[in-house]
Amino acid sequence: MTEQPLLDVDGLHVRFGAGATQVHAVRAASLRLYAGRCLALVGESGSGKSALARSLLGLAGPTASVTADRLRVAGQDALRFGPRDWRRIRGRHIGLVAQDALVALDPLRPIGTEITESLLAHRTVPRSQAADAVVGLLTRVGVPEPEERARQYVHQLSGGLRQRALIASAIAAGPGTLIADEPTTALDAAVQARVLDLLAELKEQGTGLLLISHDLAVVEALADEVAVMRAGVIVESGPTERVLDDPRHDYTRELLAAVPGSRPRPARAAPPAPGEDLPLLSVTGAVKHFAGGRGARRTAVAGVDFTLRAGETLGLVGESGSGKTTLARMVLGLVRPDEGTVLLDGLPWSGAPERARRARRRTIQLIPQDPLSAFDPRWPVSRVIGEALAATGVPRRDRLGHTVRLLERVGLAPDLLDRRPAALSGGQRQRVAIARALAPEPRLLVCDEPVSALDVSVQAQVLALLRRLQNELRLATLFISHDLAVVREVCDRVLVMKDGRVVESGPVEDVFAGPAHPYTRSLLDAVPKRARRISREPAQERL
């Protein structure tokens, strides 16, 4: 290509710290990004993707050393930039869409104020025109009722609207380059498709996109080129179709083999033991209403029925706001249904007073989506798990031995006992969360998006661990996920929810191979092409 690249990087090195403890995060990386093109960076956690991307924004951090043979941003030599130069470039020439809009957007300001700040900082429009410009930006990214949404705070928006507001803020000053760091993580398939359409539209309008993602289906849907990183090195790069369909490097092949659904479904666990054919969990006619604005009443769950038996995994899917989380909170005993019943092991659960439920709470445990938020950041692993053991009556003198055995069960070494959550990788944190959930010896696990934020190789390890534990311990599992390929791989049955109702249910193979309800078909159609192909292939064709 003869045009000047928006990003032109050659021989980039990023190091953190000094001396014997120095971490060489990026090694001799080279890349070029042109207007109207998308380059995707893929690789497992710790491969250097984010360190590389943040160095292109001057945000590698105070302990980072960034060197390169060439580092040009928007046609300028970024190796000569000082702090003032970077502030001038960021937002105006290169924008960032972070992974978690709930964290990236200021919770104390309406989103309109957040976007206005970017407009005024770069003098894009006069202050008198800022409000109209904000409405125009929100309209451009597909936010409905933009005047009203501009007055709302981030916690008042759905996941998809939050992500769109973040994109509006990132493009407010008209940057030619946009770095999108896991922009669709934890979004359901329908919302993910809308965000991908928006990013594709920006690309068509001439924006250069640097996409960081662990979701190879998203990469295939949006990227023109792919660079695969491992241990700080770009080990393979090239056109997206060639890299994903004909990988040259062993590591690229390993990543593709770890994609959910690429592996055959595991063999069914042993036949039910005596008594296991009876439901462990029974939900009948569950209804839950919440108060809305101006005295309105919103129905979050509307007459849901299902059962779950020992050794069985039930998938729960549906778009944001479909009622999945409220239903899960009913199962956990954190929300009481307005109508209907929840029985645990044949006994009342939803209607029982807390003093009667307390002794039975060990029967059911939660594996959260984000352990980093679920753990006390001040506590080491030993105390995180020890707290769960203490709650179930394990004497203090026995807790360390129990904790070590739990860590070994989830594939972690005892040398992690003294580490705090921030010092663990994403996969290690999720394994600690599983160990904590196993501490009370539960019979039922509620898994809320347990692998959505993990790269595909770590995701595969965690899913394999959950399957092994389920078979060994005969656990019943309620598995909530927006990733339909994951659901098809690990679940026996599936419930599809829309507007608080179950619109379709049945064996996972039957529902995915021949969806009967239009909404189920629309969910499958919203999945990016590669994941959709995997989700709809009969299991025997993937053997």
Side-chain angles (χ1 to χ4, degrees):
M1 302 180 72
T2 58
E3 64 195 272
Q4 185 182 61
L6 300 170
L7 297 175
D8 189 358
V9 181
D10 191 33
L12 176 70
H13 292 264
V14 182
R15 300 173 176 87
F16 295 97
T21 61
Q22 186 182 75
V23 176
H24 201 162
V26 179
R27 301 168 181 264
S30 298
L31 60 85
R32 284 171 184 80
L33 176 66
Y34 293 87
R37 304 282 290 177
C38 177
L39 169 63
L41 286 179
V42 303
E44 61 191 352
S45 299
S47 62
K49 306 186 303 294
S50 293
L52 190 161
R54 293 184 74 82
S55 69
L56 303 177
L57 290 153
L59 296 175
T63 65
S65 168
V66 179
T67 60
D69 298 327
R70 183 171 58 251
L71 177 56
R72 298 186 68 82
V73 178
Q76 302 177 52
D77 185 0
L79 294 173
R80 298 177 179 273
F81 283 179
R84 179 177 292 182
D85 299 304
W86 279 115
R87 286 195 296 272
R88 174 177 53 82
I89 286 288
R90 283 196 295 265
R92 185 67 185 89
H93 294 282
I94 182 168
L96 173 66
V97 179
Q99 176 175 345
D100 189 349
L102 194 60
V103 174
L105 293 170
D106 190 333
L108 301 179
R109 299 191 299 180
I111 63 167
T113 303
E114 185 99 357
I115 299 170
T116 298
E117 180 182 56
S118 181
L119 291 169
L120 298 181
H122 295 283
R123 301 179 182 178
T124 306
V125 297
R127 185 178 294 273
S128 61
Q129 299 176 19
D132 289 339
V134 167
V135 171
L137 283 163
L138 291 175
T139 301
R140 182 182 175 190
V141 299
V143 172
E145 302 172 322
E147 294 90 348
E148 180 181 348
R149 299 298 186 183
R151 295 189 292 269
Q152 293 182 324
Y153 294 83
V154 61
H155 70 273
Q156 295 175 296
L157 304 178
S158 69
L161 288 179
R162 283 197 295 264
Q163 203 67 0
R164 286 166 180 259
L166 187 59
I167 294 172
S169 179
I171 67 173
T177 304
L178 201 59
I179 296 178
D181 188 358
E182 299 283 6
T184 60
T185 293
L187 299 180
D188 64 67
V191 175
Q192 181 188 79
R194 292 194 286 270
V195 172
L196 289 178
D197 286 344
L198 171 58
L199 292 174
E201 181 183 334
L202 291 171
K203 187 179 75 164
E204 289 173 4
Q205 294 168 355
T207 302
L209 293 177
L210 181 64
L211 173 68
I212 302 170
S213 182
H214 68 264
D215 190 330
L216 298 184
V218 167
V219 168
E220 183 181 48
L222 194 60
D224 301 291
E225 296 178 273
V226 177
V228 182
M229 292 193 71
R230 184 183 193 186
V233 177
I234 295 178
V235 298
E236 181 168 2
S237 63
T240 301
E241 185 175 2
R242 201 279 299 159
V243 172
L244 297 186
D245 291 342
D246 183 24
R248 311 282 170 80
H249 197 278
D250 288 344
Y251 177 65
T252 310
R253 288 193 282 268
E254 289 174 15
L255 283 181
L256 289 164
V259 171
S262 342
R263 301 169 297 278
R265 280 174 53 81
R268 188 73 174 90
E276 285 188 350
D277 54 337
L278 300 176
L280 176 60
L281 176 72
S282 297
V283 177
T284 306
V287 175
K288 186 63 184 179
H289 306 292
F290 291 106
R294 300 178 181 177
R297 190 173 71 162
R298 181 176 66 86
T299 301
V301 176
V304 170
D305 304 294
F306 70 89
T307 60
L308 182 57
R309 292 171 170 79
E312 181 182 38
T313 298
L314 176 65
L316 188 58
V317 303
E319 63 186 0
S320 299
S322 61
K324 304 188 303 295
T325 298
T326 300
L327 185 59
R329 289 174 64 83
M330 287 185 193
V331 170
L332 289 163
L334 302 176
V335 169
R336 181 169 295 188
D338 297 322
E339 300 175 30
T341 60
V342 179
L343 302 180
L344 185 62
D345 214 10
L347 299 174
W349 178 246
S350 58
E354 180 57 31
R355 64 178 180 275
R357 288 191 296 196
R358 192 167 294 123
R360 301 166 61 206
R361 281 203 173 274
R362 63 186 301 171
T363 301
I364 180 169
Q365 293 294 310
L366 171 69
I367 299 175
Q369 176 178 348
D370 182 10
L372 192 59
S373 299
F375 295 158
D376 190 319
R378 302 166 298 176
W379 287 4
V381 168
S382 58
R383 188 170 178 185
V384 167
I385 299 176
E387 179 192 37
L389 292 168
T392 55
V394 176
R396 183 184 296 272
R397 65 180 179 275
D398 297 333
R399 289 175 201 163
L400 180 60
H402 276 272
T403 299
V404 169
R405 286 190 289 275
L406 285 165
L407 289 179
E408 290 173 344
R409 172 154 245 168
V410 299
L412 294 177
D415 59 10
L416 298 182
L417 282 168
D418 295 328
R419 289 199 198 175
R420 287 175 170 76
L424 302 174
S425 70
Q428 288 172 332
R429 283 195 293 266
Q430 199 62 286
R431 287 170 182 263
V432 171
I434 295 171
R436 183 177 69 171
L438 293 177
E441 299 181 352
R443 297 171 61 200
L444 170 61
L445 291 178
V446 176
C447 300
D448 186 6
E449 300 279 7
V451 295
S452 65
L454 303 177
D455 64 68
V456 289
S457 54
V458 177
Q459 192 178 81
Q461 295 165 13
V462 172
L463 291 175
L465 170 63
L466 287 172
R467 287 195 299 268
R468 176 173 63 79
L469 292 171
Q470 183 184 36
N471 287 340
E472 289 177 359
L473 304 175
R474 303 297 297 157
L475 295 169
T477 306
L478 181 62
F479 195 95
I480 304 166
S481 179
H482 70 272
D483 192 325
L484 302 185
V486 167
V487 169
R488 183 166 190 177
E489 180 174 318
V490 304
C491 297
D492 303 296
R493 293 186 294 119
V494 63
L495 301 181
V496 182
M497 291 192 70
K498 178 177 172 57
D499 299 330
R501 300 182 182 277
V502 174
V503 298
E504 187 162 0
S505 64
V508 70
E509 288 291 344
D510 294 349
V511 171
F512 278 57
H517 196 278
Y519 177 67
T520 310
R521 292 196 291 271
S522 71
L523 275 183
L524 288 165
D525 287 341
V527 173
K529 182 173 64 176
R530 176 172 294 266
R532 188 189 316 152
R533 186 166 66 244
I534 291 171
S535 293
R536 284 188 162 170
E537 285 176 359
Q540 61 268 22
E541 293 183 12
R542 303 197 303 272
L543 295 177

